[in-house]
Amino acid sequence: MSAAERVLDALIAVAGAPRPMTAAQLAQALGVPLSSAYRHIALLKKYDLIVDLGRDAGLAPGPACWRLGQAMDNMEMIASLARPVMLELSRVTQESVGLMQAVAADVFCVDMIESAQPLRCSFAKGRAQPLHKGASAKLLLAHMPEDTRRLALQALPRGAELEALEAELATIRARGYAISESEVDFGVWGVSAPVFGPGQRLVCGLTLMVPIIRVGDRQEEFVSATVGAAADISLLLAGSGDH
């Protein structure tokens, strides 16, 4: 087990404990020497992930840990608001619909409505993919703050390919949606539209996934339906007071 994994185990132990833990209890729970437990504690305290309550009261989740939990709660609330709209989009198009969010250098599937058709596209809830291929990834990249987008693109090699991607992202921002074909999974066409919170802050992307053989002359219909559904979710979020 790596050092990073041991630190994460320490965080999970403290966050999941029914009451504050002492350093000795943490060491026992992890099966490590007390000196190792203190090293893990020091690193977690440095990033406000745990706090020492003092006077031998023990260790408890810190402010950063609570912020992470709040972010997850917010995403679950967004998914619950979006689901009826996603179901309707899937019903109208008869295709699969995903709610996608950028997490570090990946695109993460927050929720998924699968098409009822035998031949369908499936992107499992919880699955992640690199943040530079496919409609969902490019849509999220295009609407990121510039400094965040620059960091996300650092892993890509410099050159013509990166320049072409940056030009494509500018086009996506201008027209309000992204489309792709066989970029993530062969034979899959996708369109993704932005879902905004208050202040036009990008929250996630709504993506329709269609087998290429069923797109035909329906591309404009699929784009319009997806963009409209994303706008409906944005209105719901504005009304909910999400922040």
Side-chain angles (χ1 to χ4, degrees), residues 149-158:
R149 182 169 59 254
R150 192 162 47 243
L151 286 172
L153 293 174
Q154 276 184 349
L156 298 181
R158 298 285 165 181

Side-chain angles (χ1 to χ4, degrees), residues 137-151:
K138 291 177 179 177
L139 183 282
L140 294 168
L141 267 175
H143 288 277
M144 281 181 178
E146 186 177 350
D147 55 344
T148 306
R149 182 169 59 254
R150 192 162 47 243
L151 286 172

Side-chain angles (χ1 to χ4, degrees), residues 125-200:
K125 180 178 178 179
R127 177 182 166 190
Q129 71 182 51
L131 192 60
H132 64 277
K133 287 187 177 181
S136 301
K138 291 177 179 177
L139 183 282
L140 294 168
L141 267 175
H143 288 277
M144 281 181 178
E146 186 177 350
D147 55 344
T148 306
R149 182 169 59 254
R150 192 162 47 243
L151 286 172
L153 293 174
Q154 276 184 349
L156 298 181
R158 298 285 165 181
E161 184 178 349
L162 181 57
E163 290 177 5
L165 175 58
E166 290 176 334
E168 185 179 1
L169 297 180
T171 299
I172 290 167
R173 284 192 296 275
R175 73 184 178 193
Y177 61 87
I179 57 175
S180 65
E181 184 175 312
S182 295
E183 290 190 14
V184 178
D185 295 312
F186 181 77
V188 176
W189 178 91
V191 55
S192 188
V195 173
F196 295 108
Q200 288 297 291

Side-chain angles (χ1 to χ4, degrees), residues 201-217:
R201 175 179 61 87
L202 180 71
V203 174
C204 54
L206 183 69
T207 303
L208 186 73
M209 306 168 201
V210 187
I212 289 174
I213 60 171
R214 284 207 297 270
V215 177
D217 60 0

Side-chain angles (χ1 to χ4, degrees), residues 8 57 102 104 190:
L8 288 174

